Amino acid sequence: SNSIWTTGFEWNGMMHSASIWLVDDAFAEVANLNVIEGRWFAPEDDASPRTAIVITRQLRDEIFESESPVGQIQIDKDDKEERLIVGVVDNYRYQGEFEAHIGGFFARNIITDTASDIPSEAIFTVRNGSDARVEAALLKRVSAIAPNTTMRIETLSDARRGYIQKNILGAGVFVAIAG
């Protein structure tokens, strides 16, 4: 799962802008994220009274400079939620390789927990060569979890192609017309 919004990340009295991505334990593997310090989320985080987070290299470099952030506790100024930094991933581009690196953090979202946020997007990995029957079965199971939600399945390559056509090529046409 992967949902995003932006918030302030306060550290040592300074407020930093940060994106938040709600993800599950499998997201790092599915999205091919590179953990460069510490670790990714794990079931043992269930026992912690603090919310486990993994920050991006950009946020680490901006805030912590040469200090290791792993094990540090960040307290949200508004709701007083304590967040434990368990890892750092290499820079992440939410919308793909054409987007600038964004400073932010991943917060663990347990989709089987009824108190968790319902993600606006989900990424599933299926075996190469899977056919339409697998897609239909997956759609049926996911629809049972969120019955009043519109679902759509597309491959990552199709989603990427659509993003490029909409955002990159569309901008090129605008530049050509405007120029």
Side-chain angles (χ1 to χ4, degrees):
S1 64
N2 189 9
S3 298
I4 182 175
W5 71 90
T6 304
T7 188
F9 189 95
E10 185 178 7
W11 189 257
N12 289 337
M14 301 260 318
M15 191 60 76
H16 304 269
S17 179
S19 292
I20 303 174
W21 300 281
L22 292 179
V23 298
D24 64 10
D25 292 357
F27 185 75
E29 182 179 350
V30 171
N32 203 22
L33 296 179
N34 181 27
V35 177
I36 59 174
E37 215 176 312
R39 63 175 177 81
W40 188 255
F41 305 118
E44 59 262 23
D45 293 324
D46 291 345
S48 176
R50 297 181 175 102
T51 301
I53 64 170
V54 175
I55 67 173
T56 63
R57 176 194 302 253
Q58 178 147 345
L59 189 62
R60 181 202 64 188
D61 293 349
E62 179 183 330
I63 296 174
F64 296 95
E65 297 172 1
S66 61
E67 177 186 5
S68 174
V70 176
Q72 300 285 347
I73 297 168
Q74 186 263 343
I75 301 173
D76 186 277
K77 186 176 184 176
D78 296 325
D79 64 13
K80 306 300 181 211
E81 175 187 18
E82 292 186 355
R83 300 177 178 135
L84 174 64
I85 302 170
V86 298
V88 179
V89 295
D90 214 350
N91 287 326
Y92 176 63
R93 293 177 172 151
Y94 176 69
Q95 294 288 344
E97 68 268 28
F98 299 110
E99 182 179 57
H101 293 295
I102 301 172
F105 63 92
F106 298 89
R108 188 168 180 249
N109 192 33
I110 307 165
I111 59 173
T112 56
D113 179 356
T114 56
S116 288
D117 291 322
I118 296 174
S120 61
E121 299 172 328
I123 300 173
F124 298 94
T125 302
V126 296
R127 288 190 188 104
N128 283 338
S130 297
D131 61 13
R133 291 177 299 192
V134 173
E135 288 182 13
L138 179 60
L139 187 60
K140 183 178 179 179
R141 291 191 72 186
V142 173
S143 295
I145 295 170
N148 297 323
T149 304
T150 302
M151 305 280 177
R152 160 178 78 108
I153 292 180
E154 68 181 333
T155 64
L156 280 177
S157 58
D158 287 346
R160 181 177 178 273
R161 188 173 19 265
Y163 174 80
I164 290 171
Q165 288 173 343
K166 179 181 172 188
N167 294 292
I168 307 302
L169 298 179
V173 170
F174 176 74
V175 169
I177 293 171

